[in-house]
């Protein structure tokens, strides 16, 4: 088992290992010494797989346990689910010393985390992430949120968990598409901060090979995120490097109505776009943009390297979502490029130059 201490304003441990769900009770007891009650929030796919194990373990450790299951899928990360959680927490009699546990992927983590951040002006919560994406990204760093009609993650908070408990066994039941989606974020860490890790992934370019080394893969990713979050907990500077591939990626996701492309698929293609745009702008050093090795690695995990924009509606939607249309404020935007593979570089660029390079990628 591996442990990472995250030294944010409210410090906490990330614990990574096999069979940790069975030990959830004792581990939560150590992290939440004051709590008598714990509300476990999960989704309809994860509940039949792992809820009983976690709830039994929590009860054995002396917690009074209440379970709330929301339908699986991004559609549950909304105000209706949030207010249903608030009401159910109050019916269960949660007090300010009690806690919430988020058992599931990033959707559950964001929703339950935001419910914990807001009920009774904020109570403790633990993250028990069960997708690769949630383990390497969303469960760490304290960003919690729900989606609004106006867009994704628009109502939220910075609210650090008291513990992040990652049981690597849970990844065995993850569908291939969700595993690949998480791999996009794993590959992102290699691109922005660790050339040797990128090379390691290239040498382990299959689900089986990654799962054989999963503890160290999760450790490397979470440790990179730890360093960034410790330096910039409230996302005012350095933390933006975690958004490599996300500026264009979010635009692809939105263009596909958050249904056509998973977050990881959109980020994969977004990272390729960012590297190509950066190279076109002369930001990347040397004469090798790293694009080919990035594309090869993404393809090995069945991730797209370019997302088609066949219609003018699709093109315009992406241009608008990236903020390159004339309606946006200002004529510059900050994008994350790679100075070289393994080193991210936030750069303010003229929107017109970014647009020209995006047009070049799409042969327009
Ligand atoms: P998700 O939570 O919707 O999970 C994907 C699917 O996998 C769901 O159907 C879920 O029920 C299922 N699932 C979860 N664990 C499983 C398991 N072990 N076995 C089988 N099926 C399982 O999506 P996600 O990809 O984990 O996360 C995406 C969400 O995370 C988005 O809402 C995104 O906005 C958010 N996010 C947040 C942050 C952050 O910093 N807070 C960062 C990145 C993404
Ligand atoms: N997922 C980006 C961040 O935590 O800042």
């Amino acid at each position: 088992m591996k442990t990472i201490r995250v030294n944010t304003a409210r410090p906490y441990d990330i614990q990574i290992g096999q069979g940790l769900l069975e030990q959830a009770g004792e581990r939560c007891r150590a992290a939440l010494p004051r709590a008598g009650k714990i509300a476990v929030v999960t989704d309809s796919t994860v509940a039949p797989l792992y809820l009983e194990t976690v709830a039994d373990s929590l009860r054995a450790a002396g917690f009074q346990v209440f379970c709330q299951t929301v339908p699986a899928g991004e559609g549950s990360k909304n105000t209706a689910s949030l207010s249903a959680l608030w009401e159910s927490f109050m019916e269960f009699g949660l007090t300010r010393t009690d806690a919430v546990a988020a058992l599931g992927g990033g959707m559950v983590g964001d929703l339950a985390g935001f419910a914990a951040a807001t009920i009774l002006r904020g109570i403790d919560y633990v993250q028990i992430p069960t997708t690769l994406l949630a383990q390497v990204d969303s469960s760490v760093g304290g960003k919690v949120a729900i989606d609004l009609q106006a867009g994704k993650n628009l109502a939220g908070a910075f609210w650090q968990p008291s513990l992040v408990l990652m049981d690597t066994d849970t990844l065995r039941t993850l569908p291939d598409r969700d595993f690949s989606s998480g791999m996009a974020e794993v590959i992102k860490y290699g691109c922005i901060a660790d050339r040797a890790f990128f090379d390691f992934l290239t040498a382990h370019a299959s689900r089986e090979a990654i799962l054989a080394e999963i503890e160290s893969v999760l450790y490397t990713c979470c440790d990179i995120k730890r360093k960034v979050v410790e330096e910039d907990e409230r996302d005012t500077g350095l933390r933006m490097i975690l958004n490599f591939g996300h500026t264009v990626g979010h635009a692809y996701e939105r263009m596909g109505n958050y249904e056509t492309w998973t977050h990881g698929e959109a980020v994969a293609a977004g990272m390729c776009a960012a590297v190509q745009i950066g190279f076109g702008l002369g930001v990347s050093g040397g004469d090798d943009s790293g694009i080919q090795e990035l594309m090869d690695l993404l393809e090995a995990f069945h991730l797209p390297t370019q997302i088609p924009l066949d219609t003018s509606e699709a093109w315009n939607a992406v241009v608008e979502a990236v903020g390159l249309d004339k309606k946006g404020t200002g004529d510059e935007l900050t994008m994350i490029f790679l100075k070289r593979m393994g080193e991210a570089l936030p750069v303010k660029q003229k929107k017109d130059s970014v647009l020209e390079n995006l047009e070049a990628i799409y042969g327009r």
Side-chain angles (χ1 to χ4, degrees), residues 43 45-46 49-50 72-74 77 104-108 110 130-131 133-134 137-138 140 143-144 152-153 170-171 173-175 178 181 185 225 239 263:
D43 76 25
T45 301
V46 176
L49 294 168
Y50 303 116
E74 186 69 20
K77 221 177 93 174
M107 183 282 286
V108 165
D110 280 10
T130 61
T131 64
L133 185 138
D137 190 1
S138 61
V140 175
K143 280 188 184 175
V144 293
K152 266 190 65 140
N153 297 326
T170 60
L171 298 180
T173 53
L174 202 59
D178 289 299
S181 190
E185 297 286 355
K225 185 152 185 184
R239 193 161 174 170
H263 179 71

Side-chain angles (χ1 to χ4, degrees), residues 68-102:
Q68 184 80 344
T69 302
V70 299
E74 186 69 20
S76 286
K77 221 177 93 174
N78 60 15
T79 44
S81 306
L82 179 67
S83 103
L85 285 182
W86 284 333
E87 297 295 347
S88 68
F89 291 167
M90 290 300 90
E91 274 172 41
F92 176 49
L94 280 189
T95 66
R96 295 201 67 192
T97 55
D98 293 324
V100 171

Side-chain angles (χ1 to χ4, degrees), residues 2 20 29 40 42 54 63 69 76 82 115 118 155 174 181-182 200 217-218 237 240 283 287-288 298 345:
K2 296 184 190 300
L20 297 193
R29 171 54 64 216
V40 183
T42 190
V54 171
F63 289 104
T69 302
S76 286
L82 179 67
T118 43
L174 202 59
S181 190
F200 169 90
V217 169
L218 297 181
M240 73 172 72
V283 173
D287 54 9
D288 175 18
L298 294 170
L345 188 69

Side-chain angles (χ1 to χ4, degrees), residues 24 31 129 135 156 164 183 204 238 296 344 355:
Q135 294 184 349
V164 183
M183 279 309 300
H204 295 77
L238 178 71
D296 291 346
L355 185 57

Side-chain angles (χ1 to χ4, degrees), residues 2 4 14 16-17 131-132 135-136 166-168 171 186 197 213-224:
K2 296 184 190 300
I4 297 174
I14 303 168
I16 306 166
T131 64
L132 182 56
Q135 294 184 349
V136 298
M166 290 180 196
D167 186 337
T168 55
L171 298 180
V186 171
F197 183 55
E213 302 288 341
I214 193 67
E215 263 190 38
S216 93
V217 169
L218 297 181
Y219 183 92
T220 301
C221 297
C222 291
D223 204 43
I224 292 171

